[in-house]
Amino acid sequence: MPEEAMVEGAYLAESPEMAALLAELSRVYMMTGRSEEAVGTADRSLHLAGNHALIRPVVEALINKGSALMNLGRMTEAAATLRGATAEADRHGLAHASLRARNNLLGTIGLDDVAGSQILVREGYDLAQRLGNRTFTAQFLMLLASNGLQLGEWGAWMDEIAAFEEAEPLDPFFQMAYANIRAILAALHADREGAAEQVDLARAAATPLDSQLVTASLALTDAQVARAAGDWSIAARR
């Protein structure tokens, strides 16, 4: 664990290695809901990395800090921090950081600006494609198709998803996500049988997964399918 490494590496307190370790620790804090600690630890990393004129730890710490600020509801600071991280990651050719920064920046864009979100998602998708990063390609494809539904572009990106699925087996999460999108599409086209089939596929794919995000995603799909079918009472309950 990074915290244990911090103790073991106390003698490196002012070293470049400590800056990188602090950046990673801030990421752990951010991902485990310890947002205040994530911000503080990221700031320590930024200070130390700045003293050593480092680049990668600065960018990584900025991504973690911006994401933690978003989790704290400080959206303007979060957006500014993540946009800065994105620009610096691009400028220095830090491919994975560029993808991660864009993905996390999406969380700062309000639901009322789906078109703006779609522009950023498309950037991320094109970058992931160029870099051959399959995980982020899957993530951005999911978001492109989901945003397309909200923008009235029904069926957009489904050919790309089908081709992506054929290339090699998908992670269960994305199997579920793509089936959810197909279920909503079928319901919008008044294909109740097709929608039910895709909902079943989504639930089957989600069987090995155990997270609040998965549960919420399945419930949201149920609600959207019911709404598209005119089953308002069911949609409201979900």
Side-chain angles (χ1 to χ4, degrees), residues 6-175:
M6 290 277 294
V7 174
E8 294 173 1
Y11 68 96
L12 298 171
E14 299 300 318
S15 69
E17 292 80 7
M18 183 59 73
L21 187 57
L22 285 167
E24 180 59 26
L25 181 58
S26 72
R27 183 169 184 262
V28 172
Y29 285 150
M30 180 269 292
M31 294 182 68
T32 53
R34 298 165 66 175
S35 299
E36 295 283 3
E37 291 169 279
V39 171
T41 304
D43 281 339
R44 290 168 60 198
S45 175
L46 291 167
H47 177 75
L48 187 53
N51 290 342
H52 290 285
L54 303 176
I55 295 171
R56 186 182 296 273
V58 166
V59 172
E60 295 291 347
L62 284 172
I63 296 172
N64 301 332
K65 179 178 180 178
S67 304
L69 288 169
M70 178 179 65
N71 293 338
L72 290 168
R74 294 160 60 179
M75 291 301 184
T76 301
E77 294 170 83
T81 303
L82 287 166
R83 288 188 188 280
T86 301
E88 289 304 299
D90 289 350
R91 189 162 75 92
H92 294 287
L94 301 176
H96 188 269
S98 291
L99 292 167
R100 193 162 77 90
R102 281 179 172 81
N103 184 64
N104 293 12
L105 177 58
L106 286 167
T108 69
I109 299 177
L111 295 176
D112 58 342
D113 188 16
V114 180
S117 172
Q118 193 74 328
I119 292 171
L120 184 60
V121 176
R122 180 60 190 265
E123 280 184 19
Y125 171 72
D126 289 343
L127 180 59
Q129 283 280 84
R130 289 199 303 273
L131 296 172
N133 188 305
R134 187 167 174 82
T135 299
F136 273 111
T137 296
Q139 170 79 356
F140 289 126
L141 264 179
M142 174 187 70
L143 295 172
L144 284 166
S146 297
N147 285 346
L149 291 174
Q150 297 182 62
L151 292 168
E153 301 168 355
W154 296 358
W157 298 98
M158 298 312 297
D159 288 345
E160 288 82 356
I161 286 177
F164 187 70
E165 288 172 317
E166 290 178 5
E168 60 183 83
L170 287 179
D171 178 273
F173 176 81
F174 291 112
Q175 292 178 34

